[in-house]
Amino acid sequence: MLDFALFVQYGPALLRGFGVTILCWGAGCLIGMALGFVLMLLRQVPVKPLRWIIRAYIEVIRGTPFLIQLFLLYSGGPSFGLRLEATTAGILGLGLYGSAYFAEIFRAGYQAVPKGQVEAALSLGMSYGAILRRVIVPAMLVSTIPAIVNMMAILTKETVVLSIITVPELMYEMQTMAAETFATFETILGMALFYWLLVEVVSRLGRRLEARVTRFLTHASPQGSSTETATARA
């Protein structure tokens, strides 16, 4: 029989762990997206050695398990003079891991932008920075938001691994509860519910964001404005 009283007894510890999980996940996603965007831009630079280095980084990160990367960063870092707290190592590890995938997502979005739009902006005398901000990034968002949200959902589940390097996140607190009470089934059930809720929230927010961005860009585009004007006149 399930003992739900355990969740009340360990509630404060579980909530603290959940807060640490959200912190690691949120900060890791921000670092991953920022670094991934920079990597995508650098891959557009016509310098072959730079492209090779970035491609090698992406392939290594995507081709090795996150657990190994985390161990190398946390346990192997001191060998190179890099000493990090467990939570800091966890956030940085998630960011580096996610950056390789976000870089590929952004690259796909970048390549999906019609060249005609970029050429039209160049003919108007716009700088590359202005083209990136006003033409490329808005078009990228529409096509990449589903993939970005999916990657963010994947990173929520990767936070489970952080408990191995003693990050006091949800999995760590759940393991503590299981070790002290021997309530294995309740622990597994609680973990499943917590992460299901988190992924569900991320997915729903992502769908709303996608709808809002699409609606905003549709109304902001000249074609959308002219269509609305013609409809109003009719």
Side-chain angles (χ1 to χ4, degrees), residues 169-185:
E169 44 79 61
L170 182 60
M171 181 65 174
Y172 182 88
E173 298 295 348
M174 284 285 191
Q175 287 176 330
T176 301
M177 184 182 80
E180 293 178 354
T181 63
F182 301 101
T184 306
F185 183 75

Side-chain angles (χ1 to χ4, degrees), residues 112-234:
V113 177
K115 292 183 178 180
Q117 295 183 7
V118 178
E119 292 172 354
L122 287 171
S123 67
L124 293 175
M126 294 176 64
S127 65
Y128 182 74
I131 294 173
L132 187 66
R133 186 176 64 255
R134 297 185 178 183
V135 179
I136 296 176
V137 171
M140 279 175 54
L141 282 176
V142 174
S143 60
T144 59
I145 281 181
I148 290 173
V149 172
N150 182 61
M151 188 61 211
M152 292 176 68
I154 291 173
L155 288 179
T156 61
K157 291 175 280 189
E158 293 293 347
T159 58
V160 175
V161 181
L162 302 184
S163 63
I164 296 177
I165 61 170
T166 69
V167 176
E169 44 79 61
L170 182 60
M171 181 65 174
Y172 182 88
E173 298 295 348
M174 284 285 191
Q175 287 176 330
T176 301
M177 184 182 80
E180 293 178 354
T181 63
F182 301 101
T184 306
F185 183 75
E186 287 84 349
T187 301
I188 295 174
L189 179 62
M191 285 292 300
L193 289 175
F194 267 115
Y195 278 96
W196 175 77
L197 287 173
L198 183 56
V199 171
E200 189 67 20
V201 169
V202 172
S203 300
R204 288 181 178 274
L205 290 178
R207 286 195 291 269
R208 288 191 178 185
L209 178 62
E210 181 183 4
R212 289 196 174 192
V213 169
T214 303
R215 193 182 310 120
F216 172 77
L217 293 177
T218 301
H219 289 307
S221 64
Q223 183 178 358
S225 299
S226 60
T227 303
E228 288 180 359
T229 304
T231 303
R233 287 178 179 177

Side-chain angles (χ1 to χ4, degrees), residues 20-170:
V20 174
T21 295
I22 295 296
L23 170 65
C24 293
W25 168 74
C29 285
L30 290 176
I31 293 173
M33 283 188 281
L35 183 56
F37 188 75
V38 172
L39 290 173
M40 181 276 294
L41 291 179
L42 291 177
R43 288 194 71 175
Q44 311 310 314
V45 177
V47 179
K48 285 188 177 180
L50 179 61
R51 288 185 174 184
W52 291 339
I53 292 172
I54 295 174
R55 184 175 179 179
Y57 167 81
I58 292 174
E59 293 301 323
V60 168
I61 295 295
R62 295 173 66 192
T64 55
F66 176 55
L67 178 59
I68 294 177
Q69 299 170 22
L70 199 60
F71 272 133
L72 288 174
L73 184 64
Y74 182 67
S75 302
S79 301
F80 303 96
L82 182 64
R83 299 180 181 276
L84 299 173
E85 295 291 333
T87 303
T88 304
I91 292 173
L92 183 58
L94 278 175
L96 294 176
Y97 177 75
S99 67
Y101 293 90
F102 283 122
E104 290 298 285
I105 291 171
F106 291 140
R107 184 174 68 87
Y110 185 93
Q111 293 178 344
V113 177
K115 292 183 178 180
Q117 295 183 7
V118 178
E119 292 172 354
L122 287 171
S123 67
L124 293 175
M126 294 176 64
S127 65
Y128 182 74
I131 294 173
L132 187 66
R133 186 176 64 255
R134 297 185 178 183
V135 179
I136 296 176
V137 171
M140 279 175 54
L141 282 176
V142 174
S143 60
T144 59
I145 281 181
I148 290 173
V149 172
N150 182 61
M151 188 61 211
M152 292 176 68
I154 291 173
L155 288 179
T156 61
K157 291 175 280 189
E158 293 293 347
T159 58
V160 175
V161 181
L162 302 184
S163 63
I164 296 177
I165 61 170
T166 69
V167 176
E169 44 79 61
L170 182 60

